[in-house]
Amino acid sequence: MRQASPQDAGGAELSSAEKELYEDFNRFGLIPLWTEREDLMPMTPAPQAVPYIWHWDDLYPLAARAGELIPVGRGGERRAISVSNPGLPGLPYATPTLWAAIQYLGPNEVAPAHRHSQNAFRFVLEGEGVWTVVDGDPVAMRRGDLLLTPGWQFHGHHNPHPKPMAWLDGLDIPFVSATDTGFFEFGEDGVSDRSTPDRSRSERIWGHPGLRPLAAVAKDTPNSPLAAYRWEHTDAALTAQLEVAAEGHPGVLTEPGHAAVRFSNPTTGADALTTIRTEMHRVAAAYRTAPVRETGSSVWQVFDGTGAITLDGRRTDVVRGDLIAVPSWCEVSIEARTDLDLFRFSDAPIFERLNLARREQS
């Protein structure tokens, strides 16, 4: 426990009575506000996490080496390698609220079923051939797809193909851990359904734009019932925004040259997951986004193209696959050398509900 210190009270010499007061504070487990105010209530957010970039050229070879050496199975459950923010040493966290990892599944491997309180998604940078089975529903995983696993749904993965596959896992593990609300439960040793349908049952029911099944009209769900958001739809939506803007119609872009979409829950229109916001951004070649800072944190992954990202004034080139941690109140802007597609997830839904969300754009 941190102790109240006479030195915290200022530079003046303390009386014997004041020294005794601080000793008694320590004895009874007390710390006075006047020695802590600047840390507890800073003028602006002062995150411990730092802006940081993990490069795909480093990440993927390490995942492949792990694939050769580390088995997948009950206990460890997943061959997932989490990024660790240097400002949070020793913790497997991208930010204080977000967990990001590269998961690797080799040919004919099966990651057994389990479930947990934490909300999760998978975003596929490249490749195909793995099916994730979510509450018994086999869901194909392909490049550019966003796959959801809301909290407490059983899920496992299987790869019936001769090539390995890797993808980005995102979860709210740090947030759930900080609030002591986590539960975990083992499922069956394998997966309940080894079939490989082109479309999952959830897509066949929910994957029709603007059409809601009547059987579900009165059944809003906190997380999206749609297990897969397919790249062809995401790509078409981003392309249309830029095309319509080029035709002279205002109000369809986030800003000049910058198209973006948010993945939403078809039963409510809110975020697809209750604790994690998921988005896809496209910045047209030669454009640069305006600098923005927000409370809460986010993680970006470059899906395609080349460009640069500037974090609190420091500019770094980025290419396909690179992962970027953006802490709370870090100023970020993106410039595109070619057309640049980026996937983004954040903790925004949490802070919006708590009325702690704040945003500034230069």
Side-chain angles (χ1 to χ4, degrees):
M1 176 186 291
R2 176 173 172 145
Q3 294 185 334
S5 168
Q7 192 172 1
D8 291 335
E13 185 69 26
L14 297 180
S15 68
S16 59
E18 288 173 318
K19 290 179 181 178
E20 185 177 350
L21 175 65
Y22 280 99
E23 290 170 358
D24 285 344
F25 282 158
N26 291 332
R27 186 158 63 95
F28 289 103
L30 303 171
I31 297 177
L33 174 63
W34 58 85
T35 65
E36 304 293 314
R37 199 281 306 159
E38 290 185 5
D39 289 335
L40 294 176
M41 300 177 185
M43 296 297 184
T44 60
Q48 290 182 308
V50 298
Y52 199 77
I53 299 175
W54 296 268
H55 296 287
W56 188 251
D57 286 347
D58 299 322
L59 297 173
Y60 185 81
L62 288 169
R65 284 170 59 190
E68 296 172 357
L69 299 171
I70 308 300
V72 172
R74 185 59 77 207
E77 299 292 301
R78 304 289 187 258
R79 191 187 292 110
I81 306 160
S82 60
V83 300
S84 177
N85 191 294
L88 306 170
L91 293 174
Y93 299 164
T95 78
T97 54
L98 301 173
W99 192 84
I102 304 304
Q103 185 170 165
Y104 186 96
L105 198 65
N108 302 309
E109 286 189 324
V110 176
H114 66 211
R115 64 178 178 175
H116 40 69
S117 305
Q118 295 84 351
N119 287 315
F121 70 80
R122 304 166 217 301
F123 178 72
V124 183
L125 177 69
E126 57 189 33
E128 60 181 73
V130 168
W131 270 256
T132 181
V133 182
V134 182
D135 272 352
D137 189 6
V139 186
M141 297 175 62
R142 308 184 188 98
R143 172 168 159 77
D145 292 348
L146 174 68
L147 302 312
L148 301 186
T149 308
W152 216 237
Q153 291 189 350
F154 278 112
H155 56 283
H157 321 303
H158 71 106
N159 182 3
H161 287 79
K163 292 184 179 180
M165 187 173 169
W167 60 86
L168 172 68
D169 278 348
L171 292 90
D172 55 6
I173 289 174
F175 173 73
V176 172
S177 177
T179 53
D180 292 327
T181 52
F183 293 87
F184 182 94
E185 184 177 316
F186 292 116
E188 59 190 328
D189 284 341
V191 292
S192 58
D193 191 331
R194 294 284 193 100
S195 64
T196 56
D198 185 64
R199 298 176 73 220
S200 62
R201 292 192 298 275
S202 77
E203 292 171 85
R204 291 162 61 194
I205 296 170
W206 288 100
H208 308 284
L211 302 176
R212 180 169 178 169
L214 286 180
V217 165
K219 298 177 183 177
D220 287 354
T221 59
N223 291 301
S224 174
L226 181 60
Y229 295 74
R230 298 299 181 188
W231 170 243
E232 64 252 37
H233 303 139
T234 306
D235 182 36
L238 296 170
T239 298
Q241 287 184 22
L242 291 167
E243 288 176 344
V244 171
E247 293 164 8
H249 300 280
V252 296
L253 293 180
T254 304
E255 57 187 319
H258 181 190
V261 294
R262 181 176 300 167
F263 299 96
S264 63
N265 178 345
T267 73
T268 63
D271 287 284
L273 294 169
T274 54
T275 55
I276 301 174
R277 177 157 295 163
T278 47
E279 299 171 340
M280 198 77 191
H281 293 250
R282 175 170 293 165
V283 183
Y287 278 88
R288 177 173 180 165
T289 65
V292 172
R293 63 176 82 226
E294 299 175 315
T295 52
S297 57
S298 61
V299 176
W300 298 69
Q301 184 170 42
V302 179
F303 178 65
D304 213 355
T306 61
I309 190 164
T310 301
L311 302 167
D312 276 346
R314 182 175 180 179
R315 182 182 180 278
T316 305
D317 289 338
V318 291
V319 298
R320 176 170 162 172
D322 289 352
L323 276 173
I324 303 143
V326 182
S328 184
W329 217 238
C330 170
E331 187 178 78
V332 56
S333 66
I334 297 163
E335 58 187 283
R337 191 168 295 116
T338 66
D339 284 356
L340 187 61
D341 289 348
L342 304 105
F343 173 76
R344 176 182 187 259
F345 70 102
S346 75
D347 51 22
I350 298 171
F351 295 104
E352 287 176 355
R353 288 190 190 90
L354 296 174
N355 199 31
L356 292 172
R358 186 168 176 173
R359 185 177 191 269
E360 286 185 358
Q361 180 171 324
S362 301

